[in-house]
Amino acid sequence: MNIKQLEVLRTLLATGSTIAAAKTMGLSQSGVSRMLQQLEQDLSITLFARDKGRLIATPEALALGHDAENILLAVDRMSSHAEDLRSGASGPEIVRIGLPSSMWENFAPAMLVDYIRAFPGVRIETFFESTTAINKLVGERVIDIGFLRMEGETGPGIVVDKVASGTSVCVVPKDHPLAELETISAKDLRNVPLVLIGRQRPNRMALDQQFARAGVKQMVKIETHTNSSACAYVAQGLGVSIISSFYANLYRHLPVVQRPFVPQARQDFGLARAAGFPLSIAAQALSDALQRQIQLSQKIE
Amino acid sequence: MNIKQLEVLRTLLATGSTIAAAKTMGLSQSGVSRMLQQLEQDLSITLFARDKGRLIATPEALALGHDAENILLAVDRMSSHAEDLRSGASGPEIVRIGLPSSMWENFAPAMLVDYIRAFPGVRIETFFESTTAINKLVGERVIDIGFLRMEGETGPGIVVDKVASGTSVCVVPKDHPLAELETISAKDLRNVPLVLIGRQRPNRMALDQQFARAGVKQMVKIETHTNSSACAYVAQGLGVSIISSFYANLYRHLPVVQRPFVPQARQDFGLARAAGFPLSIAAQALSDALQRQIQLSQKIE
DNA sequence: AGGTATATGACAAAATCGCATAATATTGCG
DNA sequence: CGCAATATTATGCGATTTTGTCATATACCT
């Protein structure tokens, strides 16, 4: 598979014939025909039916044509990006911080109130993203410092300092029968509607295995991808969820309670920055403010 | 530029040398070296500095390496998609919906409570993403339906039906002097700390121009990228923000008020789905539940 | 019969790739 | 300090593969 072949697929879908596609692409008709055949061979799938000497797009062609479009758009973006980098642009000094989406309502505002008191002139940019995205954006120097879950591997050229930890807890509505238990295990969740996050992520797979070992089939009602939405769904009675106590502590204001989910898994959280690039004074101070806010948010009342 | 070259870039960033990259990729060292040179020539940019006979990644390499990764991931997805199409694989039916991050706390849970009452057996997956990301994910068939701002262009092969609208409002803390005004204009925001979103997006650029035309320099204290964090920052007294009334209505529970920001811009919001693929009954019902929840959220009390 | 469209044989040009080697730098040891 | 060993990138060269065109065969429709 190569980029020219994907352009052929896109153009064939748009024009309907090899002759028209050839004209559009500045190639010979036979060249287009060969490239189509080569792409079909590479993908081991028939993209166009040959019906009485004419090409008819198969449903597979339509489906994969979209994938091809995505690839070609990504290629265009890369080319544009390269051009932007060549021409260069710069702005005033700011500090850019990446945080999980769970932190926008209370944690981040409180942290910034604290920070801005001491650094009134600094301009802040906040990104609420997933751990994976923050990892990437720190590596790309789009973000100066980023709070993320430590899940083993970070990108190349990134340093992560551990700043917090948590353990797995089950979050249930305040008035739920399960709220009366001291601890909750997979066995307690038989036939209980679940709201789960992190599908296909390592911690989620470990959780799935805990259920499997307990011989309990998960009754997943809602999959989502943020701790915040999981807590909100629990508060609304849509099910119970299993997340880290670190995040659960950020949602004490919701009508939910948390119980240790046994056996408990541990989660570590860190602050990521690019290796080899010392933080500016402003950025280091924001890092300090973040850690003060972590202390406050995890304090047991 | 070709796919093999992008793999070379990715592998070089990961391994640091042509010898290691060659080993990883099953190529010769000289082949890797040539492909890197060819890619640099194609992009007209230096990706690696040659420092004493060794390659040192430039910032450009790190930035473009992310683009390359996106392309390669898209290629992998296409290959996997082709394989799925060949094998005719299918799983349990679920509905996957994309929503802005602003909706996780109240809107989404309420919508799902409503929906699940009528469709108890359907499994839901929620993605809280930006308009751009939702656009992409709908196009890639990762998301079945996605709520997004209508900003002119959607991806190819996507249909967007308008389902809501809003106007620009200034969100200020309840007890702020500006709360006493009936309407707020750029002139009223001279020397007022601002919390703004959507930097480099079209609507934000239009807003910037409004300030420029009024001769008012923006005192941007915080840049962020979600309506929810903007409202939270305003509630904490970190500044005032200008967002759509549609989103402001989702945060009436915060100690903030909204005033028309004049001259008022209008925003349209739509529900996106893939063109040519009719929604399943379950997906259509979720679309209906979303629109009912929109009616409820925008009701004036 | 003429027009339209795709597929294929033959061939040339371009690109890819590996081998061998040159050039440069670092490291360890006497 | 000098030298050998090792590590790394870049380049000349040749073989192989891929790309792409020309000419033409084949099929279908009017």
Side-chain angles (χ1 to χ4, degrees), chain B residues 171-173 195 229-242 255-257:
Chain B
V171 181
V172 306
V195 175
S229 59
C231 286
Y233 295 157
V234 171
Q236 277 281 2
L238 289 162
V240 306
S241 193
I242 300 148
V256 300
V257 298

Side-chain angles (χ1 to χ4, degrees), chain B residues 165-211:
Chain B
S165 64
T167 54
S168 48
V169 295
C170 184
V171 181
V172 306
K174 263 189 193 312
D175 53 6
H176 196 281
L178 287 171
E180 300 178 10
L181 300 178
E182 286 297 310
T183 62
I184 292 173
S185 73
K187 282 180 171 18
D188 297 311
L189 298 182
R190 193 184 299 277
N191 294 324
V192 173
L194 298 176
V195 175
L196 296 183
I197 64 172
R199 194 164 59 82
Q200 284 169 350
R201 302 289 299 274
N203 289 284
R204 167 62 180 278
M205 289 173 174
L207 178 65
D208 292 345
Q209 281 182 346
Q210 270 185 273
F211 275 82

Side-chain angles (χ1 to χ4, degrees), chain A residues 118-290:
Chain A
F119 288 79
V122 174
R123 186 160 157 166
I124 306 292
E125 182 159 5
T126 54
F127 298 78
F128 295 94
E129 301 282 354
S130 65
T131 285
T132 304
I134 288 175
N135 218 324
K136 251 183 205 180
L137 292 168
V138 170
E140 292 171 8
R141 310 295 306 287
V142 172
I143 284 177
D144 299 307
I145 50 179
F147 181 93
L148 46 66
R149 164 174 280 185
M150 296 171 76
E151 281 180 320
E153 296 198 33
T154 58
I158 292 181
V159 165
V160 182
D161 303 310
K162 182 184 158 185
V163 296
S165 65
T167 54
S168 49
V169 295
C170 185
V171 181
V172 308
K174 262 189 195 309
D175 51 7
H176 197 282
L178 288 171
E180 301 180 10
L181 300 178
E182 286 298 308
T183 62
I184 292 172
S185 72
K187 283 184 174 7
D188 297 310
L189 298 181
R190 194 185 300 276
N191 293 325
V192 173
L194 297 176
V195 175
L196 295 182
I197 65 172
R199 193 163 61 81
Q200 286 170 346
R201 301 292 297 275
N203 289 282
R204 168 63 181 278
M205 288 172 176
L207 178 65
D208 292 345
Q209 280 183 345
Q210 270 186 272
F211 275 83
R213 281 198 296 274
V216 174
K217 184 179 168 66
Q218 289 172 338
M219 200 170 155
V220 181
K221 282 305 196 183
I222 300 178
E223 291 279 358
T224 190
H225 299 278
T226 61
N227 291 273
S228 45
S229 60
C231 287
Y233 295 157
V234 171
Q236 275 282 1
L238 288 162
V240 306
S241 192
I242 299 147
I243 61 173
S244 171
S245 62
F246 178 83
Y247 287 113
N249 286 337
L250 301 185
Y251 300 106
R252 290 202 194 98
H253 61 289
L254 293 178
V256 299
V257 299
Q258 57 181 280
R259 297 289 182 262
F261 183 76
V262 296
Q264 285 198 293
R266 176 186 179 84
Q267 305 87 34
D268 291 323
F269 301 93
L271 201 59
R273 57 183 168 80
F277 296 87
L279 292 177
S280 67
I281 293 175
Q284 182 59 57
L286 187 53
S287 171
D288 295 340
L290 173 80

Side-chain angles (χ1 to χ4, degrees), chain B residues 15-153:
Chain B
T15 60
S17 76
T18 56
I19 291 177
K23 265 181 188 162
T24 300
M25 296 181 68
L27 299 170
S28 66
Q29 177 272 322
S30 52
V32 169
S33 178
R34 282 205 211 281
M35 271 187 268
L36 171 59
Q37 287 172 40
Q38 190 59 54
L39 180 59
E40 286 180 320
Q41 187 178 327
D42 290 349
L43 294 174
S44 304
I45 202 161
T46 298
L47 296 168
F48 289 85
R50 276 70 168 173
D51 181 32
K52 297 172 182 173
R54 277 147 176 79
L55 298 174
I56 305 296
T58 62
E60 290 78 20
L62 297 171
L64 292 171
H66 179 57
D67 290 329
E69 185 64 31
N70 284 337
I71 294 169
L72 294 172
L73 287 172
V75 168
D76 286 344
R77 275 199 293 277
M78 185 172 181
S79 298
S80 295
H81 197 178
E83 191 170 339
D84 288 344
L85 290 169
R86 280 201 299 279
S87 64
S90 70
E93 191 197 6
I94 68 174
V95 182
R96 303 160 300 178
I97 182 167
L99 298 165
S101 56
S102 330
M103 289 183 166
W104 69 264
E105 187 174 11
N106 296 296
F107 188 100
M111 174 191 74
L112 293 179
V113 164
D114 176 17
Y115 175 76
I116 285 180
R117 189 175 299 134
F119 287 79
V122 173
R123 186 159 157 168
I124 304 293
E125 181 159 9
T126 55
F127 298 78
F128 293 94
E129 302 280 354
S130 65
T131 285
T132 305
I134 288 175
N135 217 324
K136 250 189 215 177
L137 292 169
V138 170
E140 290 169 7
R141 310 296 308 285
V142 172
I143 285 178
D144 297 307
I145 51 179
F147 181 92
L148 46 67
R149 163 174 281 186
M150 296 170 77
E151 280 180 322
E153 297 197 36

